Each structure stands twice: as structure tokens, then as C-alpha cells.
Amino acid sequence: MTRQNCASCLMPFSKDPGKRENPDYCTYCFRDGKLCYEGDFKGFQKICRDAMLKQGMNPLAVMFFVWSMRFAPRWKK
């Protein structure tokens, strides 16, 4: 079965603006042969929240998306 969402941020691949290097991660999360963020989950949430708000996304939607990231395979350890 082919993954439909990023294994790190859960963004649907249909919304990915670039060409993915890795079948499990979006272009925001995986670039130049490695994951773009190597820190802890809380830091990752903050970076994502700030980026989505900067893009003008609805703050309530951002809150939901950031909360749901905890269920991504990368963070389920």
C-alpha cells in the first residue's frame, strides 16, 4: 500500500508543492537525503505551527493539524 500522507507531518502528498525524494516524507520534511528536522516533537510542532500561520492558514485548522501530528509514524515511538 502506498502512503498518502507524510510520515512526519501528515501533510497529504497531493498538497506537496515539490518533487519528493523519499516515498514516506514530503518535501518540507525530507530534503538532500535526510530529514530536515532532527530535534524533539515539541520543537517540530512549533516550527510547523509558525510556518502554517505565516502562510495565512486558519488558526483553528493549524491547531488541529499541529495536534494531529503526534499520530504520525515518525513520532509514535
Side-chain angles (χ1 to χ4, degrees):
M1 187 169 100
T2 304
R3 180 177 296 286
Q4 300 297 313
N5 299 68
C6 177
S8 186
C9 70
L10 294 180
M11 181 178 78
F13 289 140
S14 61
K15 303 277 186 189
D16 195 336
K19 183 173 177 356
R20 291 183 291 132
E21 295 178 29
N22 185 295
D24 293 329
Y25 298 102
C26 71
T27 56
Y28 293 118
C29 292
F30 192 92
R31 199 172 311 135
D32 300 325
K34 63 181 182 165
L35 288 166
C36 296
Y37 182 78
E38 295 294 337
D40 68 346
F41 178 65
K42 292 288 185 190
F44 181 73
Q45 280 183 307
K46 181 179 180 349
I47 288 171
C48 292
R49 178 178 47 251
D50 293 348
M52 287 187 272
L53 290 171
K54 187 175 182 179
Q55 289 179 353
M57 288 181 66
N58 177 304
L60 288 174
V62 170
M63 244 176 28
F64 172 74
F65 292 136
V66 169
W67 173 83
S68 67
M69 286 177 192
R70 72 186 70 243
F71 302 106
R74 178 180 178 194
W75 305 109
K76 279 185 148 183
K77 299 177 191 171

